[in-house]
Amino acid sequence: MLTVDFSRFPLAPGDRVLDLGCGAGRHAFECYRRGARVVAVDRNGEEIREVAKWFAAMKEAGEAPEGATATAMEGDALALPFPDESFDVVIISEVMEHIPDDKGVLAEMVRVLKPGGRIAVTVPRYGPEKVCWALSDAYHEVEGGHIRIYKADELTGKLREAGLKPYGSHHAHALHAPYWWLKCAFGVDNDKALPVRAYHKLLVWDIMKKPFATRLAEQALNPLIGKSFVVYATKPHLPSLGAEADAR
């Protein structure tokens, strides 16, 4: 289940991609399949080891085009072990709401992104997330949990402050918002509640089968209750010294 829409966020074979806070690796795997040179980074060593196993399995199965590469590594989002301007593309999905120093993370992403490079940021959407917080303290008051809820203009403003130029946004995963409301209402750790189990089966069926009816329903509902807010931005090229001289 992808949150980033690659029809709005073009990826070329050979692009060097950083998936920061990759988690289970869903976006890293998609970039690898599209021929990118992927580096997946997360602070969770257990998840990184699983991502590395899946990268190896994908290579063995021939799922990635020739020339594509994939590396999984532990790392700190506030101190990335990469030189300046190392990546053509940076993806950070459902991560920034967990990190106290979100401006520091943005600064690091901008530092390692090449001029002209593209960045995709996804966070929980304000409205659906507020419902979850209202229904359950346990949903967010956990170690490593969500510490803030972004409004769309707040997030895009922070991207601009970091030196990025937002060029598009959308909402995603409307069908997942009611699932999390049910989880919060019946207990975030209570997977046995009948409404939770029933809705989870629906989501699994939808992900596996991708029926036209639910795709159409989600597309219609995303602007209203989409669980995630997604924004895309570019890192502008700095004006050349010659251009600055001409401007004077």
Side-chain angles (χ1 to χ4, degrees):
M1 182 186 73
L2 299 174
T3 307
V4 172
D5 181 350
F6 286 94
S7 69
R8 309 184 195 209
F9 188 66
L11 190 69
D15 276 349
R16 191 153 192 250
V17 177
L18 172 63
D19 185 1
L20 184 57
C22 64
R26 57 201 173 104
H27 289 108
F29 300 149
E30 180 65 19
C31 293
Y32 190 31
R33 291 188 187 98
R34 289 171 177 262
R37 296 173 293 154
V38 183
V39 180
V41 175
D42 202 283
R43 64 182 297 179
N44 187 317
E46 184 176 342
E47 286 197 310
I48 281 297
R49 287 187 287 274
E50 282 299 311
V51 170
K53 289 178 184 178
W54 278 106
F55 279 151
M58 291 172 67
K59 182 177 181 180
E60 181 71 20
E63 290 189 37
E66 186 176 352
T69 62
T71 303
M73 59 185 292
E74 289 185 58
D76 182 354
L78 290 165
L80 295 171
F82 309 113
D84 295 355
E85 302 178 4
S86 299
F87 294 93
D88 303 290
V89 173
V90 177
I91 296 171
I92 185 166
S93 182
E94 311 299 303
V95 173
M96 287 181 56
E97 68 276 9
H98 296 272
I99 300 177
D101 187 7
D102 58 346
K103 290 185 178 180
V105 172
L106 278 171
E108 271 294 86
M109 290 191 292
V110 171
R111 179 184 69 80
V112 301
L113 186 64
K114 295 177 182 179
R118 304 171 303 285
I119 187 168
V121 181
T122 92
V123 297
R125 184 183 186 178
Y126 184 82
E129 186 77 349
K130 285 287 283 186
V131 174
C132 289
W133 283 45
L135 289 171
S136 172
D137 290 337
Y139 171 78
H140 63 97
E141 291 182 355
V142 294
E143 185 178 357
H146 299 183
I147 63 170
R148 70 173 64 82
I149 308 175
Y150 289 100
K151 290 185 177 180
D153 57 354
E154 176 191 2
L155 181 59
T156 54
K158 287 189 174 185
L159 294 180
R160 290 190 180 96
E161 288 174 10
L164 296 166
K165 184 177 180 181
Y167 68 84
S169 65
H170 62 90
H171 301 101
H173 309 318
L175 296 183
H176 288 250
Y179 172 72
W180 283 102
W181 297 339
L182 289 171
K183 289 270 287 181
C184 290
F186 286 93
V188 290
D189 296 320
N190 181 13
D191 293 327
K192 295 182 179 180
L194 180 59
V196 174
R197 287 192 290 116
Y199 203 96
H200 184 262
K201 287 182 179 179
L202 170 66
L203 291 179
V204 172
W205 173 77
D206 175 59
I207 291 170
M208 298 300 294
K209 301 296 185 180
K210 296 181 175 63
F212 177 74
T214 56
R215 295 301 88 213
L216 191 63
E218 184 156 76
Q219 185 177 358
L221 290 171
N222 273 337
L224 302 174
I225 59 168
K227 183 73 170 66
S228 294
F229 174 63
V230 188
V231 59
Y232 306 108
T234 58
K235 179 178 177 178
H237 289 276
L238 293 175
S240 66
L241 293 176
E244 289 181 351
D246 291 342
R248 296 193 188 101

Coordinates of all heavy atoms in Angstrom, one line a residue, residues 46-124:
E46 N 15.7 -4.0 13.7 CA 15.0 -5.2 13.3 C 14.3 -5.0 12.0 O 14.3 -5.8 11.1 CB 14.0 -5.5 14.4 CG 13.2 -6.8 14.2 CD 12.3 -7.1 15.3 OE1 12.5 -6.6 16.4 OE2 11.4 -7.9 15.1
E47 N 13.7 -3.8 11.8 CA 13.0 -3.5 10.5 C 14.0 -3.4 9.4 O 13.7 -3.9 8.3 CB 12.1 -2.3 10.6 CG 10.9 -2.4 11.4 CD 9.9 -1.3 11.2 OE1 10.3 -0.1 11.3 OE2 8.7 -1.7 10.9
I48 N 15.1 -2.8 9.6 CA 16.1 -2.7 8.6 C 16.6 -4.1 8.1 O 16.8 -4.3 6.9 CB 17.3 -1.8 9.1 CG1 16.9 -0.4 9.0 CG2 18.6 -2.1 8.3 CD1 16.7 0.1 7.6
R49 N 16.8 -5.0 9.1 CA 17.2 -6.4 8.7 C 16.2 -7.0 7.8 O 16.5 -7.8 6.9 CB 17.5 -7.2 10.0 CG 18.8 -6.8 10.6 CD 19.2 -7.7 11.8 NE 18.4 -7.5 12.9 CZ 18.6 -6.6 13.9 NH1 19.6 -5.8 13.8 NH2 17.7 -6.5 14.9
E50 N 14.9 -6.8 8.1 CA 13.8 -7.4 7.3 C 13.8 -6.8 5.9 O 13.6 -7.5 4.9 CB 12.5 -7.2 8.0 CG 12.2 -8.1 9.1 CD 12.2 -9.6 8.7 OE1 11.5 -9.9 7.7 OE2 12.9 -10.4 9.3
V51 N 14.0 -5.4 5.8 CA 14.0 -4.8 4.5 C 15.2 -5.3 3.7 O 15.0 -5.6 2.5 CB 14.1 -3.2 4.7 CG1 14.4 -2.5 3.4 CG2 12.8 -2.7 5.3
A52 N 16.3 -5.5 4.3 CA 17.5 -6.0 3.6 C 17.2 -7.4 3.1 O 17.6 -7.8 1.9 CB 18.7 -6.1 4.5
K53 N 16.5 -8.3 3.8 CA 16.1 -9.6 3.4 C 15.2 -9.5 2.1 O 15.4 -10.3 1.2 CB 15.5 -10.4 4.5 CG 16.4 -10.8 5.6 CD 15.6 -11.5 6.7 CE 16.5 -11.9 7.9 NZ 15.7 -12.5 9.0
W54 N 14.3 -8.6 2.2 CA 13.4 -8.4 1.1 C 14.1 -7.9 -0.2 O 13.8 -8.3 -1.3 CB 12.2 -7.5 1.4 CG 11.1 -8.3 2.2 CD1 10.8 -8.2 3.5 CD2 10.2 -9.2 1.7 NE1 9.8 -9.0 3.9 CE2 9.4 -9.7 2.7 CE3 10.0 -9.7 0.4 CZ2 8.4 -10.6 2.6 CZ3 9.0 -10.7 0.2 CH2 8.2 -11.1 1.3
F55 N 15.0 -7.0 0.0 CA 15.8 -6.5 -1.1 C 16.5 -7.7 -1.8 O 16.5 -7.8 -3.0 CB 16.8 -5.5 -0.7 CG 16.3 -4.1 -0.5 CD1 16.9 -3.2 0.4 CD2 15.2 -3.6 -1.2 CE1 16.4 -1.9 0.6 CE2 14.8 -2.3 -1.1 CZ 15.4 -1.5 -0.2
A56 N 17.1 -8.5 -1.0 CA 17.8 -9.7 -1.5 C 16.9 -10.6 -2.2 O 17.2 -11.2 -3.3 CB 18.6 -10.4 -0.4
A57 N 15.7 -10.8 -1.7 CA 14.7 -11.7 -2.3 C 14.2 -11.2 -3.6 O 14.0 -11.9 -4.6 CB 13.5 -12.0 -1.3
M58 N 14.0 -9.9 -3.7 CA 13.6 -9.2 -4.9 C 14.7 -9.4 -6.0 O 14.4 -9.6 -7.2 CB 13.3 -7.7 -4.6 CG 12.1 -7.5 -3.8 SD 11.9 -5.8 -3.3 CE 11.5 -5.0 -4.9
K59 N 15.9 -9.2 -5.6 CA 17.0 -9.3 -6.6 C 17.1 -10.8 -7.1 O 17.2 -11.0 -8.3 CB 18.3 -9.0 -5.9 CG 19.5 -9.1 -6.9 CD 20.8 -8.6 -6.2 CE 22.0 -8.7 -7.2 NZ 23.3 -8.2 -6.5
E60 N 16.9 -11.7 -6.2 CA 17.0 -13.1 -6.6 C 15.8 -13.5 -7.5 O 16.0 -14.3 -8.4 CB 16.9 -14.0 -5.3 CG 16.9 -15.5 -5.5 CD 18.3 -16.0 -6.0 OE1 19.3 -15.3 -5.8 OE2 18.4 -17.1 -6.6
A61 N 14.6 -12.9 -7.3 CA 13.5 -13.1 -8.1 C 13.4 -12.3 -9.4 O 12.5 -12.5 -10.2 CB 12.2 -12.9 -7.3
G62 N 14.4 -11.5 -9.6 CA 14.5 -10.7 -10.8 C 13.4 -9.6 -10.9 O 13.0 -9.1 -11.9
E63 N 13.0 -9.1 -9.7 CA 11.9 -8.0 -9.7 C 12.5 -6.6 -10.0 O 11.7 -5.7 -10.3 CB 11.3 -8.0 -8.3 CG 10.4 -9.2 -8.0 CD 9.6 -9.1 -6.7 OE1 9.1 -7.9 -6.5 OE2 9.4 -10.1 -6.0
A64 N 13.8 -6.5 -9.8 CA 14.4 -5.1 -10.1 C 15.1 -5.1 -11.4 O 15.7 -6.1 -11.8 CB 15.3 -4.8 -9.0
P65 N 15.0 -4.0 -12.2 CA 15.7 -3.9 -13.5 C 17.2 -3.9 -13.3 O 17.7 -3.6 -12.3 CB 15.2 -2.6 -14.1 CG 14.0 -2.2 -13.2 CD 14.2 -2.8 -11.9
E66 N 17.9 -4.2 -14.4 CA 19.3 -4.2 -14.4 C 19.8 -2.8 -14.1 O 19.2 -1.8 -14.6 CB 19.8 -4.6 -15.8 CG 21.4 -4.7 -15.8 CD 21.9 -5.3 -17.2 OE1 21.0 -5.7 -18.0 OE2 23.1 -5.2 -17.4
G67 N 20.8 -2.6 -13.3 CA 21.3 -1.3 -12.9 C 20.7 -0.8 -11.6 O 21.3 0.1 -11.0
A68 N 19.5 -1.3 -11.2 CA 18.9 -0.9 -9.9 C 19.8 -1.5 -8.7 O 20.3 -2.6 -8.8 CB 17.5 -1.4 -9.8
T69 N 19.9 -0.8 -7.7 CA 20.6 -1.2 -6.5 C 19.7 -0.9 -5.3 O 18.9 0.0 -5.3 CB 22.0 -0.6 -6.3 OG1 21.8 0.8 -6.2 CG2 22.8 -0.9 -7.5
A70 N 20.0 -1.6 -4.2 CA 19.2 -1.4 -2.9 C 20.1 -1.7 -1.7 O 20.7 -2.8 -1.6 CB 17.9 -2.2 -2.9
T71 N 20.1 -0.8 -0.8 CA 20.8 -0.9 0.5 C 19.9 -0.5 1.6 O 19.2 0.5 1.5 CB 22.1 0.0 0.5 OG1 22.9 -0.3 -0.7 CG2 22.9 -0.2 1.8
A72 N 20.0 -1.3 2.7 CA 19.2 -1.0 3.9 C 20.2 -0.8 5.0 O 21.1 -1.6 5.2 CB 18.2 -2.1 4.3
M73 N 20.0 0.3 5.8 CA 21.0 0.6 6.9 C 20.3 1.4 8.0 O 19.3 2.1 7.8 CB 22.1 1.5 6.3 CG 21.7 2.8 5.7 SD 23.1 3.7 4.9 CE 24.0 4.1 6.4
E74 N 20.8 1.2 9.2 CA 20.4 1.9 10.4 C 21.0 3.3 10.3 O 22.1 3.5 9.8 CB 20.8 1.3 11.7 CG 20.1 0.0 12.0 CD 20.5 -0.6 13.4 OE1 20.3 0.2 14.3 OE2 21.0 -1.7 13.4
G75 N 20.2 4.3 10.8 CA 20.7 5.7 10.7 C 19.9 6.6 11.5 O 18.7 6.3 11.8
D76 N 20.4 7.8 11.8 CA 19.7 8.8 12.5 C 19.3 9.9 11.6 O 20.1 10.5 10.9 CB 20.7 9.4 13.6 CG 20.1 10.5 14.4 OD1 19.0 10.9 14.2 OD2 20.8 11.0 15.4
A77 N 18.0 10.2 11.5 CA 17.5 11.2 10.6 C 18.1 12.6 10.8 O 18.0 13.4 9.9 CB 16.0 11.2 10.7
L78 N 18.6 12.8 12.0 CA 19.1 14.2 12.3 C 20.6 14.3 12.0 O 21.2 15.3 12.2 CB 18.9 14.5 13.8 CG 17.4 14.8 14.1 CD1 17.2 14.8 15.6 CD2 16.9 16.1 13.5
A79 N 21.2 13.1 11.7 CA 22.7 13.1 11.4 C 22.9 12.1 10.3 O 23.5 11.0 10.6 CB 23.5 12.9 12.6
L80 N 22.5 12.3 9.1 CA 22.6 11.4 8.0 C 24.1 11.2 7.6 O 24.8 12.2 7.4 CB 21.7 11.8 6.8 CG 20.2 11.8 7.1 CD1 19.5 12.5 5.9 CD2 19.7 10.4 7.3
P81 N 24.5 9.9 7.4 CA 25.9 9.7 7.0 C 26.2 9.8 5.5 O 26.8 8.9 4.9 CB 26.1 8.3 7.5 CG 24.8 7.6 7.3 CD 23.7 8.7 7.6
F82 N 25.7 10.9 4.9 CA 25.8 11.0 3.5 C 26.4 12.4 3.2 O 26.0 13.4 3.9 CB 24.5 10.9 2.7 CG 23.8 9.6 3.1 CD1 22.6 9.6 3.8 CD2 24.3 8.3 2.8 CE1 21.9 8.5 4.1 CE2 23.6 7.2 3.1 CZ 22.4 7.3 3.8
P83 N 27.2 12.6 2.1 CA 27.6 13.9 1.7 C 26.5 14.8 1.2 O 25.4 14.3 0.9 CB 28.6 13.6 0.6 CG 28.9 12.2 0.6 CD 27.7 11.5 1.2
D84 N 26.8 16.1 1.2 CA 25.8 17.0 0.6 C 25.4 16.6 -0.8 O 26.3 16.1 -1.5 CB 26.4 18.4 0.6 CG 26.7 19.0 2.0 OD1 26.3 18.3 3.0 OD2 27.2 20.1 2.1
E85 N 24.2 16.9 -1.2 CA 23.7 16.7 -2.5 C 24.0 15.3 -3.1 O 24.5 15.1 -4.2 CB 24.3 17.8 -3.4 CG 24.0 19.2 -3.0 CD 24.6 20.3 -3.8 OE1 25.3 20.0 -4.8 OE2 24.5 21.5 -3.4
S86 N 23.6 14.3 -2.3 CA 23.9 12.9 -2.6 C 22.7 12.2 -3.4 O 22.9 11.2 -4.0 CB 24.2 12.1 -1.3 OG 25.3 12.5 -0.7
F87 N 21.5 12.8 -3.2 CA 20.3 12.0 -3.7 C 19.5 12.9 -4.7 O 19.4 14.1 -4.5 CB 19.4 11.6 -2.5 CG 20.1 10.6 -1.6 CD1 20.8 11.0 -0.5 CD2 20.0 9.3 -1.9 CE1 21.4 10.1 0.3 CE2 20.6 8.3 -1.1 CZ 21.3 8.7 0.0
D88 N 18.9 12.2 -5.7 CA 18.0 12.9 -6.6 C 16.6 13.0 -6.0 O 15.8 13.8 -6.4 CB 17.9 12.0 -7.9 CG 19.2 11.8 -8.6 OD1 19.8 12.8 -9.1 OD2 19.7 10.7 -8.6
V89 N 16.3 12.0 -5.1 CA 14.9 11.9 -4.6 C 15.0 11.5 -3.1 O 15.8 10.7 -2.7 CB 14.1 10.8 -5.3 CG1 12.8 10.5 -4.6 CG2 13.9 11.2 -6.8
V90 N 14.2 12.2 -2.3 CA 14.0 11.8 -0.9 C 12.6 11.6 -0.6 O 11.7 12.4 -1.0 CB 14.6 12.9 0.1 CG1 14.4 12.5 1.5 CG2 16.1 13.1 -0.2
I91 N 12.3 10.5 0.1 CA 10.9 10.2 0.6 C 10.9 10.0 2.1 O 11.8 9.3 2.6 CB 10.4 8.9 -0.1 CG1 10.3 9.0 -1.6 CG2 9.0 8.4 0.5 CD1 10.0 7.7 -2.3
I92 N 10.0 10.7 2.8 CA 9.9 10.5 4.2 C 8.3 10.4 4.5 O 7.6 11.3 4.3 CB 10.5 11.6 5.0 CG1 10.4 11.3 6.5 CG2 9.9 13.0 4.7 CD1 11.3 12.2 7.4
S93 N 7.9 9.1 4.8 CA 6.5 8.8 4.9 C 6.1 8.4 6.3 O 6.6 7.4 6.8 CB 6.2 7.7 3.9 OG 4.8 7.4 3.9
E94 N 5.2 9.2 6.8 CA 4.6 8.9 8.2 C 5.7 8.8 9.2 O 5.8 7.9 10.1 CB 3.8 7.6 8.1 CG 2.8 7.5 7.0 CD 1.7 8.6 7.0 OE1 1.0 8.8 8.0 OE2 1.6 9.4 6.0
V95 N 6.6 9.8 9.2 CA 7.8 9.8 10.1 C 7.8 11.1 10.9 O 8.0 11.1 12.1 CB 9.1 9.7 9.3 CG1 10.3 9.9 10.2 CG2 9.1 8.3 8.7
M96 N 7.6 12.3 10.2 CA 7.9 13.6 10.9 C 7.0 13.8 12.1 O 7.4 14.6 13.0 CB 7.7 14.7 9.9 CG 8.9 14.7 8.9 SD 8.8 16.0 7.7 CE 8.7 17.5 8.7
E97 N 5.8 13.2 12.1 CA 4.9 13.4 13.3 C 5.5 12.7 14.6 O 5.0 13.0 15.7 CB 3.5 12.8 13.0 CG 3.4 11.3 12.8 CD 3.7 10.9 11.4 OE1 4.2 11.7 10.6 OE2 3.5 9.7 11.2
H98 N 6.5 11.9 14.4 CA 7.1 11.2 15.5 C 8.3 12.0 16.1 O 8.8 11.7 17.2 CB 7.7 9.8 15.1 CG 6.6 8.9 14.7 ND1 5.9 8.1 15.6 CD2 6.1 8.6 13.5 CE1 5.0 7.3 14.9 NE2 5.1 7.6 13.6
I99 N 8.9 12.9 15.4 CA 10.2 13.5 15.7 C 10.1 14.9 16.3 O 9.6 15.8 15.6 CB 11.1 13.5 14.4 CG1 11.3 12.1 13.9 CG2 12.5 14.1 14.7 CD1 12.1 12.0 12.6
P100 N 10.6 15.1 17.5 CA 10.5 16.4 18.1 C 11.2 17.5 17.2 O 10.6 18.6 17.0 CB 11.3 16.3 19.4 CG 11.1 14.8 19.8 CD 11.2 14.1 18.4
D101 N 12.3 17.3 16.7 CA 13.0 18.3 15.9 C 12.7 18.1 14.4 O 13.6 17.7 13.6 CB 14.6 18.2 16.2 CG 15.3 19.3 15.5 OD1 14.7 20.2 14.9 OD2 16.6 19.3 15.5
D102 N 11.5 18.4 14.0 CA 11.2 18.2 12.6 C 11.9 19.1 11.7 O 12.2 18.8 10.5 CB 9.6 18.2 12.4 CG 9.0 19.6 12.9 OD1 9.7 20.4 13.6 OD2 7.9 19.8 12.5
K103 N 12.2 20.3 12.2 CA 13.0 21.3 11.4 C 14.4 20.7 11.1 O 14.9 20.9 10.0 CB 13.0 22.6 12.0 CG 11.7 23.4 12.0 CD 11.8 24.8 12.6 CE 10.5 25.5 12.5 NZ 10.6 26.9 13.0
G104 N 15.0 20.1 12.1 CA 16.3 19.5 11.9 C 16.3 18.4 10.9 O 17.2 18.3 10.1
V105 N 15.2 17.6 10.9 CA 15.1 16.5 9.9 C 15.0 17.1 8.5 O 15.6 16.6 7.5 CB 13.9 15.6 10.2 CG1 13.6 14.6 9.1 CG2 14.1 14.9 11.5
L106 N 14.1 18.1 8.4 CA 14.0 18.8 7.1 C 15.3 19.4 6.6 O 15.7 19.2 5.4 CB 12.9 19.9 7.1 CG 11.5 19.5 7.0 CD1 10.6 20.6 7.4 CD2 11.2 18.9 5.7
A107 N 16.1 19.9 7.5 CA 17.4 20.5 7.1 C 18.3 19.4 6.6 O 19.0 19.7 5.6 CB 18.0 21.2 8.3
E108 N 18.3 18.3 7.2 CA 19.2 17.2 6.8 C 18.7 16.7 5.4 O 19.5 16.4 4.6 CB 19.1 16.0 7.8 CG 20.2 16.1 8.9 CD 21.6 16.0 8.3 OE1 22.1 17.0 7.9 OE2 22.1 14.9 8.3
M109 N 17.4 16.6 5.2 CA 16.9 16.1 3.9 C 17.3 17.1 2.8 O 17.7 16.7 1.7 CB 15.4 15.9 4.0 CG 15.0 14.7 4.8 SD 13.2 14.3 4.6 CE 12.5 15.7 5.4
V110 N 17.2 18.4 3.1 CA 17.5 19.4 2.1 C 19.0 19.3 1.8 O 19.5 19.4 0.7 CB 17.1 20.8 2.6 CG1 17.7 21.8 1.6 CG2 15.6 20.9 2.6
R111 N 19.8 19.1 2.8 CA 21.3 19.0 2.7 C 21.7 17.9 1.7 O 22.6 18.1 0.9 CB 21.9 18.8 4.1 CG 23.5 18.7 4.0 CD 24.1 18.4 5.3 NE 23.8 17.1 5.8 CZ 24.4 16.0 5.4 NH1 25.4 16.0 4.4 NH2 24.1 14.8 5.9
V112 N 21.1 16.7 1.9 CA 21.5 15.6 1.1 C 20.8 15.5 -0.3 O 21.2 14.7 -1.1 CB 21.3 14.2 1.8 CG1 22.1 14.2 3.1 CG2 19.9 13.9 2.0
L113 N 19.8 16.4 -0.5 CA 19.1 16.4 -1.8 C 19.9 17.3 -2.8 O 20.3 18.4 -2.5 CB 17.7 16.9 -1.6 CG 16.7 16.9 -2.8 CD1 16.5 15.5 -3.2 CD2 15.4 17.6 -2.4
K114 N 20.0 16.8 -4.0 CA 20.6 17.6 -5.1 C 19.7 18.8 -5.5 O 18.5 18.7 -5.5 CB 20.9 16.7 -6.3 CG 21.9 15.6 -6.1 CD 22.0 14.8 -7.4 CE 23.0 13.6 -7.2 NZ 23.1 12.8 -8.4
P115 N 20.3 19.9 -5.9 CA 19.5 21.0 -6.5 C 18.7 20.4 -7.7 O 19.2 19.7 -8.5 CB 20.6 22.0 -7.0 CG 21.7 21.7 -6.1 CD 21.8 20.3 -5.8
G116 N 17.5 20.8 -7.7 CA 16.6 20.2 -8.8 C 16.0 18.9 -8.4 O 15.1 18.4 -9.1
G117 N 16.4 18.3 -7.2 CA 15.9 17.1 -6.7 C 14.5 17.2 -6.2 O 14.0 18.3 -5.9
R118 N 13.8 16.1 -5.9 CA 12.4 16.0 -5.5 C 12.3 15.4 -4.2 O 13.0 14.4 -3.8 CB 11.6 15.3 -6.6 CG 11.7 15.9 -7.9 CD 11.0 15.1 -9.0 NE 11.5 13.7 -9.1 CZ 12.7 13.3 -9.6 NH1 13.5 14.2 -10.0 NH2 13.0 12.1 -9.7
I119 N 11.3 15.8 -3.4 CA 11.1 15.3 -2.1 C 9.6 15.0 -1.9 O 8.7 15.8 -2.4 CB 11.6 16.2 -1.0 CG1 11.5 15.5 0.4 CG2 10.9 17.5 -1.0 CD1 12.3 16.3 1.5
A120 N 9.2 13.9 -1.3 CA 7.8 13.6 -0.9 C 7.7 13.4 0.6 O 8.5 12.6 1.2 CB 7.4 12.3 -1.7
V121 N 6.8 14.1 1.2 CA 6.6 14.1 2.6 C 5.1 13.6 2.8 O 4.2 14.2 2.3 CB 6.8 15.4 3.3 CG1 6.6 15.3 4.8 CG2 8.2 15.9 3.0
T122 N 4.9 12.6 3.7 CA 3.5 12.3 4.0 C 3.4 12.2 5.6 O 4.3 11.8 6.3 CB 3.1 10.9 3.5 OG1 3.4 9.8 4.4 CG2 3.8 10.6 2.1
V123 N 2.3 12.7 6.1 CA 2.0 12.7 7.5 C 0.5 12.4 7.7 O -0.3 12.6 6.7 CB 2.3 14.1 8.1 CG1 3.8 14.4 8.0 CG2 1.5 15.2 7.5
P124 N 0.1 12.0 8.9 CA -1.3 11.9 9.1 C -2.1 13.2 8.9 O -1.6 14.3 9.3 CB -1.4 11.4 10.6 CG -0.1 10.8 10.8 CD 0.9 11.6 10.0

